[in-house]
Amino acid sequence: MDVEAREQQHVPMWLVGHSISDPEVQVDGGLVDDELNAGYDMISGCITNSSFHKRVEDAIAQARSEQRTHIHIEPLIADEVNMHPGHYMISVIGFASSWIELESADPLIAHVSKQVLDLELAYAAFCGLNQVVIPGPRNREQTAEYAQAISAALSHSTYMQLLIQLPIHDWIGDESAPAESPLYEPYSAWDAWNTIRTVCKYSGQLAVALQIPQRLPNPMVVRRWFCEPIRMLLISNATFCPNNKGFPVFSKAHQNMLTKYMRLRPVPYVLLEQTEFPPLLRAAIKIKHEDDAYLIYLRHLQKNQPPQSTVERFGSGYQDYLQSPLQPLADNLESITYEVFEKDPVKYQQYQNAIELALRDRPVGKEIVVAVVGAGRGPLVTRALKAAELSGRTIKMVAVEKNPNAYVHLLQKNRDVWNGRVTIIKTDMRAWKPTFMVDIMISELLGSFADNELSPECLDGVQRVLNPEGGVMIPQSYTAHFSPIMAPKIYADIATRRSDPDAFETPYVVLFQAIDTLSEEDYIHNAWEFAHPVPAGVLGEAASMGGGFVGLGDGGNDHNLRSCKVTFKVPRRGVVHGLAGYFESVLYGKVELSTRPDTIDQKSCDMISWFPIFFPLKTPIYLPDHSEVEVSMWRRCSERKVWYEWTVEAYVRSGNKRFPLGGSELHSSKKNGCLM
């Protein structure tokens, strides 16, 4: 099936490889062709063989006899390698020797292991390999030593991705019931990875080759690895179980995990290991299929994946992709930007429901003035006209838009679609001075954090034309929400933007995917609220200082300042990379919008108009088990700009006392604030 056909049927693209674990097998063009013809997309093989291993062991033995702790390993020779340059190497993944111990407490072993890795990586690069899998640290207490060696390897492997091979979790004792062991630590493998990638400064060349066991850990561990840069899933025959006909299959838990992980971007490779059953086991369960049974089953799972949701289809390619928030007041948006928003039927249906409800709350027979302020290309105008028809109310329809290009489009639409039923006004809504009062004022000025695109400031400036006798605004209110998250992929992306000194003080719009929430029960805090219309006394005081107009006087916008301070309980260790921001809005009555992951399905399911917002931290903060995160956030403003400031502090409790673990500096988006 070609790529276009896959996309049309929403069949995910999985790349499944076959691991050649025998270190004596030569990886040549013939072997690669055979594996590709068998249905695999790639193979993996050992870079060096037992001849090289024996030479290194002999050198170590001689060094010990001479009581030396440092020796020099000579370069590789032809008889010691399993692969050579060729066009087929694009389909090959190399494995570094499994016997090296970069973190060994024995200085001789550590010194030799580092040389062996350097030799193998250099030869792999020469052969044209793009990726090499390196065995993870065996001694968890020496992980820092291991990480230092990997950091050094990255410095001279510029064009190669290094995959650290790690189990999804460690156990001590009975594998069948690891959670019952007092020594069982579900996050110890992740701890090792966190040390490695931190020492390596979140290098984009570094990723994880994750081993999937027969018995999966608790779902929190599976979720934690989901936020990490998994580039490969290693699955052996022991991971499968036979069905009642003897064919290898996954448990339901494994199927769910694979479905989740294979939706990551980029999609991880799946590497099948040890695809031959031992003869006794084969006889015991009466396997009827040959060695390709595992591959056949994976292809079956691939073709039968659940369909993508509306948000997944719309957001394809935008997962964890950082975008700067819009500046709708400072900039005139292009038609394509409006068009993207207009593809969301859910938002506009909710708006139509709210408008219809507001109209039905008014008497029949009286003309009702309805205005869309910030009309764009007119989707809300269309919905308002439809709501008037459904409610049986007579309306005077007005559209106000400052963008001169969108204004031309509105004129054309009024002529060709609305049959001249709409009064089109070209002006900034804050400077609009009609001769009539508006009964229902509609806007779609909300940003990813509710108020971050200046909805409060815009609506303050136009509220003076709202009928004081029962005039309503849609939306009636909106709230900003946030929660601390782990987002290593996003943090690594921001860290690469060295040319931008404000990269870590810019809030980004982003469709979250590879993240993990840290707060207890995934708690999301309601930071603050804005409600419209604002009490007349508040606006009167602001107006006396120049508030509510395009140019604000000093203090004229102080009523739109906000702040909050909240403590999140963190039950499981992790690293906070920033804050995930969302919003909820009451359009009218019980008609609502939400981007919060825990309420969106109830309030505005499949809405795609807004992605969440991310407030990054310059330096990630490690959080131990049963710790606390205290977040302080402010909405600040001046005469011409609105921005946010935030800081994060970590604490741990002992009895009734709370001890600080560390904290971030004060972050401020003032330089990149939203201009009025």
Side-chain angles (χ1 to χ4, degrees), residues 189-473:
W190 175 83
D191 283 334
W193 163 250
N194 184 52
T195 298
I196 295 164
R197 61 99 174 278
T198 302
V199 170
C200 296
K201 299 179 180 178
Y202 287 76
S203 170
Q205 293 175 248
L206 200 62
V208 177
L210 195 63
Q211 295 172 292
I212 306 302
Q214 184 179 36
R215 182 187 176 96
L216 291 176
N218 71 65
M220 293 296 101
V221 178
V222 174
R223 192 175 83 169
R224 170 58 53 83
W225 282 109
F226 181 76
C227 78
E228 300 295 352
I230 299 173
R231 199 68 193 95
M232 178 184 292
L233 300 175
L234 299 167
I235 303 176
S236 73
N237 60 20
T239 309
F240 295 81
C241 57
N243 63 11
N244 56 8
K245 294 184 179 180
F247 296 106
V249 296
F250 278 154
S251 68
K252 199 67 177 177
H254 283 83
Q255 292 179 43
N256 293 337
M257 182 214 66
L258 195 64
T259 294
K260 180 179 181 70
Y261 282 5
M262 296 306 281
R263 293 198 174 187
L264 284 167
R265 293 295 181 271
V267 181
Y269 304 140
V270 176
L271 198 63
L272 289 172
E273 302 180 296
Q274 303 168 348
T275 54
E276 292 186 2
F277 270 114
L280 291 178
L281 183 57
R282 181 186 292 271
I285 62 175
K286 299 180 181 179
I287 290 289
K288 297 180 180 180
H289 237 288
E290 296 304 321
D291 299 334
D292 62 354
Y294 306 99
L295 178 60
I296 291 173
Y297 177 69
L298 283 176
R299 295 303 188 196
H300 166 76
L301 286 181
Q302 176 184 2
K303 294 177 182 177
N304 290 278
Q305 285 295 290
Q308 291 181 313
S309 68
T310 300
V311 175
E312 285 175 326
R313 290 196 301 272
F314 176 80
S316 180
Y318 288 95
Q319 297 93 336
D320 298 321
Y321 176 76
L322 302 175
Q323 304 174 73
S324 296
L326 295 174
Q327 293 266 13
L329 279 182
D331 302 329
N332 288 321
L333 303 182
E334 297 181 354
S335 181
I336 187 64
T337 304
Y338 291 118
E339 185 176 343
V340 171
F341 297 148
E342 292 167 16
K343 290 180 179 178
D344 187 348
V346 175
K347 176 180 75 172
Y348 291 110
Q349 185 59 52
Q350 289 293 86
Y351 262 98
Q352 180 178 311
N353 295 342
I355 298 166
E356 181 181 350
L357 190 60
L359 288 171
R360 289 186 183 278
D361 282 345
R362 293 177 176 270
V364 179
K366 180 181 178 181
E367 184 179 68
I368 304 165
V369 180
V370 178
V372 175
V373 290
R377 302 200 316 175
L380 284 182
V381 176
T382 299
R383 294 290 184 158
L385 293 171
K386 182 65 176 177
E389 294 176 12
L390 294 173
S391 63
R393 301 310 193 264
T394 302
I395 68 171
K396 173 184 173 66
M397 187 74 238
V398 183
V400 180
E401 177 55 50
K402 73 172 182 65
N403 185 337
N405 305 307
Y407 171 73
V408 173
H409 183 80
L410 290 172
L411 293 174
Q412 177 267 331
K413 203 163 186 178
N414 193 33
R415 181 192 65 200
D416 299 340
V417 179
W418 299 326
N419 298 320
R421 291 178 291 167
V422 182
T423 301
I424 313 293
I425 308 294
K426 178 184 170 296
T427 185
D428 186 311
M429 68 180 75
R430 297 168 295 176
W432 183 33
K433 298 178 180 179
T435 57
F436 50 84
M437 303 302 285
V438 175
D439 298 308
I440 300 176
M441 185 178 293
I442 308 160
S443 65
E444 52 175 332
L445 304 170
L446 298 175
S448 294
F449 202 49
D451 53 80
N452 62 297
E453 292 184 9
L454 304 185
S455 179
E457 286 72 22
C458 291
L459 295 181
D460 283 354
V462 75
Q463 182 176 317
R464 55 196 164 74
V465 307
L466 185 70
N467 192 336
E469 302 296 328
V472 298
M473 288 182 163

Side-chain angles (χ1 to χ4, degrees), residues 624-664:
D625 293 337
H626 309 297
S627 56
E628 295 179 354
V629 169
E630 191 167 88
V631 178
S632 300
M633 179 170 275
W634 299 264
R635 186 184 197 263
R636 304 291 304 278
C637 60
S638 67
E639 312 87 65
R640 298 292 301 173
K641 185 184 291 188
V642 170
W643 70 94
Y644 298 92
E645 294 181 353
W646 62 97
T647 185
V648 174
E649 299 168 276
Y651 295 89
V652 66
R653 287 190 179 274
S654 179
N656 294 326
K657 294 185 178 180
R658 192 170 74 152
F659 300 92
L661 297 173
S664 72

Side-chain angles (χ1 to χ4, degrees), residues 70-134:
H70 294 82
I71 59 174
H72 175 67
I73 303 298
E74 294 295 329
L76 297 167
I77 60 175
D79 291 343
E80 296 174 338
V81 297
N82 288 333
M83 51 190 68
H84 300 277
H87 67 278
Y88 53 86
M89 295 303 288
I90 194 173
S91 301
V92 178
I93 295 174
F95 269 67
S97 293
S98 60
W99 42 267
I100 61 175
E101 296 181 56
L102 300 171
E103 78 287 5
S104 176
D106 184 330
L108 177 60
I109 297 298
H111 180 61
V112 169
S113 294
K114 292 173 185 177
Q115 291 185 70
V116 169
L117 180 62
D118 287 345
L119 289 172
E120 293 184 334
L121 290 179
Y123 186 72
F126 170 75
C127 290
L129 291 181
N130 295 317
Q131 294 162 323
V132 172
V133 179
I134 302 173

Side-chain angles (χ1 to χ4, degrees), residues 375-597:
R377 302 200 316 175
L380 284 182
V381 176
T382 299
R383 294 290 184 158
L385 293 171
K386 182 65 176 177
E389 294 176 12
L390 294 173
S391 63
R393 301 310 193 264
T394 302
I395 68 171
K396 173 184 173 66
M397 187 74 238
V398 183
V400 180
E401 177 55 50
K402 73 172 182 65
N403 185 337
N405 305 307
Y407 171 73
V408 173
H409 183 80
L410 290 172
L411 293 174
Q412 177 267 331
K413 203 163 186 178
N414 193 33
R415 181 192 65 200
D416 299 340
V417 179
W418 299 326
N419 298 320
R421 291 178 291 167
V422 182
T423 301
I424 313 293
I425 308 294
K426 178 184 170 296
T427 185
D428 186 311
M429 68 180 75
R430 297 168 295 176
W432 183 33
K433 298 178 180 179
T435 57
F436 50 84
M437 303 302 285
V438 175
D439 298 308
I440 300 176
M441 185 178 293
I442 308 160
S443 65
E444 52 175 332
L445 304 170
L446 298 175
S448 294
F449 202 49
D451 53 80
N452 62 297
E453 292 184 9
L454 304 185
S455 179
E457 286 72 22
C458 291
L459 295 181
D460 283 354
V462 75
Q463 182 176 317
R464 55 196 164 74
V465 307
L466 185 70
N467 192 336
E469 302 296 328
V472 298
M473 288 182 163
I474 298 176
Q476 292 181 302
S477 65
Y478 36 89
T479 48
H481 307 248
F482 64 81
S483 182
I485 61 169
M486 271 191 64
K489 181 178 178 182
I490 294 173
Y491 175 83
D493 185 357
I494 300 174
T496 64
R497 306 183 180 199
R498 297 182 181 89
S499 61
D500 181 3
D502 303 315
F504 277 106
E505 294 188 285
T506 300
Y508 297 94
V509 173
V510 56
L511 176 59
F512 291 130
Q513 186 189 47
I515 67 166
D516 192 9
T517 54
L518 296 167
S519 57
E520 188 173 59
E521 298 181 351
D522 298 333
Y523 173 69
I524 300 172
H525 182 65
N526 183 337
W528 52 66
E529 179 182 30
F530 287 90
H532 300 283
V534 175
V538 173
L539 279 190
E541 182 180 353
S544 68
M545 294 182 284
F549 299 97
V550 177
L552 291 174
D554 186 25
N557 199 34
D558 284 358
H559 63 289
N560 286 323
L561 295 172
R562 295 290 188 275
S563 66
C564 73
K565 187 174 186 177
V566 60
T567 299
F568 295 88
K569 294 185 180 299
V570 178
R572 296 171 298 278
R573 72 193 70 168
V575 178
V576 57
H577 294 100
L579 308 172
Y582 311 95
F583 80 86
E584 290 188 330
S585 175
V586 176
L587 293 180
Y588 187 84
K590 295 183 178 181
V591 183
E592 299 183 56
L593 302 176
S594 175
T595 63
R596 281 180 51 138

